Amino acid sequence: MKQKVQLVLGSGGARGIAHIAVIEELEKEGFEIIEVIGCSMGAVIGGIYAAGHLSEYKDWLFSLDRNEVFDLTDFTLKKGGFVKGEKIFDRHREMTGHLNIEDFSIPFTAVSVDIKSGKEVHFNSGDLYKALRSSVSIPGVFVPVDESNKLLVDGGVLNPLPLNLVKKNEGASLIAVDLNAAGKPLVRKKEKEKQPPKWYEGVVPKNILESSRFETKKEEDSLSVFDLMEKTFVLTQDRLKELMIKAYTPDVLISIPRKTCSTFEFWKAQYVYETGLKAYKKGMKRK
């Protein structure tokens, strides 16, 4: 009989490609994934896997270069965000067709947050891509999803690693993948590169970035309002994640360093995937 696994996939943008490596290795080693719960990019990978389309989605991700990633980013001047987020999910629909969560053979839940009520919203039925679009809506970046009198944003605002949503099955292992771990990248980069771009570079005009900068005594410590916003979000996510792991300790925690890549560097798919393979082996050794 196969060892059963309940899988929790955390938020972290392009680092979520590491989730694919973890899923593939679990299956290769004979584990049976009986449930997937995901937040943000963890919801995207988990949902597409539960729907049975991970293989073609992986091939597509690996084919993307920097220009194609930029082309899939539908910038907007609307209030609430710089990116509409419709173009990317239209491409997903072209790849898989319409998908309803309740039709999946593997139970799946995507986590979002309703800014109006301040409560989590859990999608375990209905249109998959509506759920995913809601779950990835990073505040200030993506335009929030206005749905059924709710204003939905990234689930990472309240629950970046939703371990508390798992109802443990007897005999099943709870495995979680954290995309925002401390430490250096696990895989050496083939070539040296400059500091990875922030999510807002190339989106926000340079003059606005410069005029919003908060000057400090040391020039290298100066921060723009966007730097401050990003750092605040990161610190909050880290604290929430730490509390969640402490309260609902998984049987196996697989850790992907935050320094692996930045949020939108999807053109580094192969590198992030290799990081996922290494993290999987490291995490499973501790079991």
Side-chain angles (χ1 to χ4, degrees):
M1 185 181 291
K2 289 184 175 182
Q3 171 67 49
K4 298 182 187 301
V5 167
Q6 291 172 277
L7 189 60
V8 176
L9 304 177
S11 62
R15 294 185 296 282
I17 296 166
H19 290 320
I20 300 175
V22 171
I23 290 169
E24 289 185 344
E25 288 302 295
L26 284 169
E27 291 195 327
K28 195 182 295 182
E29 293 186 7
F31 292 93
E32 179 188 358
I33 299 172
I34 62 169
E35 180 182 20
V36 183
I37 297 172
C39 176
S40 199
M41 193 59 188
V44 174
I45 300 298
I48 289 174
Y49 165 71
H53 292 280
L54 190 60
S55 179
E56 59 262 48
Y57 184 66
K58 175 189 173 184
D59 290 343
W60 175 69
L61 280 175
F62 275 51
S63 73
L64 295 175
D65 60 25
R66 189 188 297 255
N67 289 332
E68 287 169 314
V69 172
F70 191 80
D71 287 343
L72 286 165
T73 308
D74 43 3
F75 299 116
T76 178
L77 296 176
K78 285 185 178 180
K79 292 179 180 179
F82 295 102
V83 181
K84 287 188 286 186
E86 294 167 9
K87 199 171 183 180
I88 181 68
F89 288 112
D90 285 344
R91 181 66 188 88
H92 285 46
R93 285 189 185 90
E94 288 173 15
M95 200 184 315
T96 68
H98 179 76
L99 298 169
N100 283 322
I101 297 171
E102 63 268 24
D103 296 333
F104 300 170
S105 58
I106 300 171
F108 168 71
T109 302
V111 181
S112 184
V113 170
D114 175 19
I115 283 294
K116 287 184 178 180
S117 67
K119 295 179 180 178
E120 292 180 32
V121 176
H122 305 141
F123 291 91
N124 46 36
S125 64
D127 182 351
L128 173 66
Y129 292 118
K130 187 177 287 185
L132 301 187
R133 172 65 182 83
S134 301
S135 188
V136 303
S137 296
I138 303 170
V141 182
F142 286 93
V143 176
V145 175
D146 194 348
E147 177 72 22
S148 302
N149 202 34
K150 295 182 177 71
L151 203 57
L152 302 171
V153 298
D154 195 309
V157 168
L158 289 180
N159 204 347
L161 193 63
L163 289 160
N164 61 314
L165 301 189
V166 177
K167 293 180 180 177
K168 281 291 294 283
N169 280 35
E170 189 175 346
S173 294
L174 172 55
I175 296 180
V177 186
D178 170 25
L179 300 181
N180 299 295
K184 297 178 181 179
L186 299 177
V187 176
R188 183 176 294 179
K189 294 178 182 176
K190 293 178 182 177
E191 56 185 36
K192 284 190 174 183
E193 61 179 359
K194 295 178 181 179
Q195 183 74 15
K198 302 294 180 68
W199 60 263
Y200 47 79
E201 292 177 1
V203 181
V204 183
K206 193 172 180 179
N207 63 319
I208 294 179
L209 283 176
E210 291 305 316
S211 64
S212 70
R213 189 166 296 281
F214 175 73
E215 300 295 338
T216 62
K217 291 180 180 178
K218 290 185 179 180
E219 187 178 346
E220 62 269 25
D221 293 333
S222 296
L223 299 170
S224 72
V225 67
F226 300 100
D227 290 320
L228 288 167
M229 187 167 70
E230 181 186 43
K231 284 182 179 293
T232 301
F233 189 61
V234 164
L235 287 170
T236 303
Q237 276 198 315
D238 284 351
R239 179 55 62 87
L240 289 169
K241 177 195 71 179
E242 288 165 8
L243 291 171
M244 191 62 70
I245 291 171
K246 188 174 181 180
Y248 304 91
T249 306
D251 298 305
V252 177
L253 178 63
I254 296 168
S255 301
I256 310 297
R258 178 179 276 113
K259 290 183 180 179
T260 298
C261 73
S262 66
T263 303
F264 291 110
E265 290 186 304
F266 286 93
W267 57 88
K268 294 184 177 180
Q270 181 66 50
Y271 170 72
V272 179
Y273 179 84
E274 290 170 6
T275 297
L277 292 176
K278 192 161 186 177
Y280 174 84
K281 290 171 185 174
K282 190 175 179 181
M284 294 300 278
K285 275 183 183 178
R286 298 197 192 104
K287 187 178 177 183

